[in-house]
Amino acid sequence: LKGNRTTAECTIASKLPEYATYYKTIATPAIVTDMLSVMKRCLIPAFGKLTPSQVVGPLVSSYTLKRLETISPKTHKPVTHRTIQKELNYLSAMVKWMNKNGFAQEIREIDRPPSAKCKPQKIIQPLTIDELSRFTLQLPPDRQALALLMSDAGLRMTESLNICCQDIDLASGRILIKGKGNKQVMYPILTRRLFEALEREKGDRATGWLVINPKTSEPYGSIKTLFRLAAKRAGIQKPVTHHVLRHTYSTV
């Protein structure tokens, strides 16, 4: 009609050069290289001839299914949900850019694989008795007690860091822990080294935090970095975290 101008949507492939120029202003060179590689190898062959409004759920699902059946040339294994999520994130970002700049009239949210399927599976390897001994010796004396609470009593990191002197009953060989919902659980002191470490740190004190950060006069917030460095000094190749120590308690 006279006085009214209709605008046709652009295809995704036609706007990739302009989007790449824009993307270089907001991302690192490595990310830009990866994005262009994914676009040219995977996304453009599947969606390049389409406009953003044509990228609908069934097409995305078909793309996801096809990619899951593809063997990765790098790993020689089937492509994972995590990889597909990254690819669709690149596509979604470009579609939103086209809509923002007037190259697309209407867009739909692009469905990604569920987050639970995209998390990398972590394999926890418990320490052996020898590794645990070498690791503990690389810790400062006060932090040794905290590590042993995890490895020899099975406490969580937050429970170990916030334990108080009044929660430790050396006479009966038990530790009182206040868990979720104010539930109280008694943990037995099963090893001699844990008993000696707790006895050393507690001393004659009846109350107060068992281990105090001298810089803040409060319990340590985290000792993850300390664990990582101690494991390196002990010559342990596997990751050593508080989760690993708890798993070590249940296996060693």
Side-chain angles (χ1 to χ4, degrees), residues 26-219:
I26 63 170
T28 63
I31 298 297
V32 172
T33 301
D34 185 61
M35 184 275 293
L36 290 174
S37 175
V38 169
M39 279 288 184
K40 293 176 181 178
R41 287 186 298 104
C42 307
L43 298 175
I44 292 301
F47 304 102
K49 296 181 180 180
L50 303 178
T51 64
S53 61
Q54 293 175 323
V55 181
V56 293
L59 291 178
V60 176
S61 298
S62 177
Y63 172 81
T64 300
L65 181 60
K66 184 177 180 180
R67 289 292 288 152
L68 287 172
E69 297 173 347
T70 304
I71 302 299
S72 171
K74 292 184 178 180
T75 63
H76 303 291
K77 297 180 181 179
V79 174
T80 64
H81 287 86
R82 183 179 177 86
T83 298
I84 299 171
Q85 183 188 55
K86 182 187 71 170
E87 295 169 357
L88 293 177
N89 283 342
Y90 283 144
L91 177 63
S92 177
M94 181 175 178
V95 166
K96 290 179 180 179
W97 173 83
M98 292 180 67
N99 177 254
K100 181 179 179 181
N101 289 273
F103 303 126
Q105 298 176 358
E106 182 181 357
I107 60 174
R108 296 175 175 85
E109 185 67 28
I110 296 177
D111 295 330
R112 279 80 146 187
S115 299
K117 290 185 174 293
C118 299
K119 294 181 180 179
Q121 298 296 321
K122 296 182 180 179
I123 301 177
I124 298 179
Q125 297 177 294
L127 300 180
T128 63
I129 295 176
D130 177 65
E131 288 174 335
L132 181 58
S133 298
R134 289 189 283 119
F135 167 74
T136 306
L137 290 175
Q138 296 299 324
L139 296 172
D142 59 337
R143 263 64 62 86
Q144 287 181 11
L146 299 178
L148 290 173
L149 283 170
M150 303 176 206
S151 65
D152 289 21
L155 270 64
R156 297 178 177 84
M157 183 177 69
T158 53
E159 294 171 343
S160 300
L161 295 178
N162 294 282
I163 195 168
C164 297
C165 293
Q166 60 266 30
D167 299 329
I168 302 171
D169 187 354
L170 295 176
S172 61
R174 296 185 299 177
I175 305 170
L176 175 64
I177 298 298
K178 298 176 181 178
K180 296 180 179 179
N182 292 324
K183 294 182 180 179
Q184 296 185 349
V185 182
M186 299 298 297
Y187 286 79
I189 302 175
L190 298 175
T191 64
R192 183 66 186 176
R193 61 185 175 188
L194 175 58
F195 182 91
E196 292 175 350
L198 295 176
E199 185 179 39
R200 181 182 64 246
E201 294 305 318
K202 183 177 180 179
D204 298 329
R205 294 181 297 154
T207 59
W209 306 110
L210 178 67
V211 178
I212 301 175
N213 186 343
K215 295 182 180 180
T216 62
S217 299
E218 294 182 355

